[in-house]
């Protein structure tokens, strides 16, 4: 079952989602977190439309091509859902630095917000139907209580470059285990 806990998001994503939810509440929205982290089984292989309320639907993304798998996305529902209200909510999410799914050109998803600075989903997940394989290849194991374990197979120089690029979003509560090999 997909999680609805903000604790299951990466720390940098969680901080922005918390700011977004506070901003939405201040603007009068009643927001409910519908989904955060999903397993590969949760995400599934179906692309059939999902009812998101207010007569709107969104097409589900297959397997590991969803940022939910990586702990970097949240779906929300709101009171009195309409396209205009989701657009207003989307602007609030964008104002704190989230990417709003309502702007996706090929598959608009107005309930979806994500954050993945400098990451490319097609690199993380080259074969969408091999979700578990992508997670294993990336060496990412989401552990909500301990952090994220990465086994990237990078040279020490490349690893240092990666860590330096991530420094602004790493927080002390994040555990980063690095394995050379």
């Amino acid at each position: 079952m997909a999680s609805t806990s903000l604790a299951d998001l990466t720390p940098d994503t969680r901080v922005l989602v918390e700011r977004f939810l506070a901003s939405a509440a201040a603007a009068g929205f009643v927001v409910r977190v519908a989904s955060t982290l999903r397993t590969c089984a949760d995400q599934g292989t179906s692309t059939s439309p999902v009812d998101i309320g207010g007569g709107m639907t969104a097409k589900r993304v297959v397997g590991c091509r969803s940022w939910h798998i990586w702990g970097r996305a949240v779906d929300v529902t709101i009171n009195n859902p309409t396209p205009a209200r989701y657009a207003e909510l989307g602007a609030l999410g964008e104002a704190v630095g989230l990417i709003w799914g309502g702007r996706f050109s090929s598959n608009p998803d107005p309930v979806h917000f994500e954050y993945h600075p400098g990451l490319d989903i097609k690199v993380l997940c080259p074969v969408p139907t091999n979700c578990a394989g992508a997670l294993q290849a990336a060496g990412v194991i989401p552990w909500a209580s301990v952090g994220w374990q990465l086994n990237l197979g990078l040279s020490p120089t490349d690893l240092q470059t990666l860590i330096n690029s991530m420094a602004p979003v790493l927080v002390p509560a994040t555990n980063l285990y690095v394995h050379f090999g």
Side-chain angles (χ1 to χ4, degrees):
M1 174 190 280
S3 173
T4 59
S5 174
L6 298 184
D8 288 335
L9 296 171
T10 60
D12 56 334
T13 305
R14 183 177 61 243
V15 167
L16 295 182
V17 170
E18 288 170 345
R19 287 181 192 155
F20 159 61
L21 294 174
S23 175
F29 283 93
V30 176
V31 180
R32 184 183 73 81
V33 174
S35 177
T36 58
L37 182 68
R38 295 181 188 152
T39 66
C40 296
D42 293 332
Q43 193 63 32
T45 57
S46 172
T47 58
S48 58
V50 177
D51 181 4
I52 58 175
M56 298 173 285
T57 60
K59 190 169 84 173
R60 187 179 294 266
V61 175
V62 172
C64 58
R65 288 275 170 95
S66 168
W67 286 109
H68 288 282
I69 297 295
W70 305 93
R72 293 191 160 277
V74 62
D75 287 349
V76 299
T77 60
I78 58 172
N79 57 319
N80 306 314
T82 65
R85 285 181 49 78
Y86 271 116
E88 185 181 346
L89 190 70
L92 294 173
E94 290 172 335
V96 300
L98 295 170
I99 297 168
W100 177 46
R103 293 201 191 279
F104 294 167
S105 58
S106 63
N107 185 21
D109 188 356
V111 304
H112 181 87
F113 296 85
E114 60 189 42
Y115 181 69
H116 43 83
L119 299 174
D120 183 342
I121 197 77
K122 291 180 181 178
V123 172
L124 288 172
C125 176
V127 181
T129 55
N130 186 15
C131 184
L135 289 172
Q136 182 178 14
V140 177
I141 303 167
W143 288 347
S145 61
V146 215
W148 288 71
Q149 179 179 355
L150 305 172
N151 180 356
L152 300 174
L154 297 174
S155 72
T157 302
D158 290 342
L159 179 62
Q160 187 62 54
T161 301
L162 175 64
I163 290 171
N164 289 344
S165 72
M166 293 173 61
V169 295
L170 292 177
V171 295
T174 304
N175 293 325
L176 182 65
Y177 301 93
V178 182
H179 303 273
F180 293 95

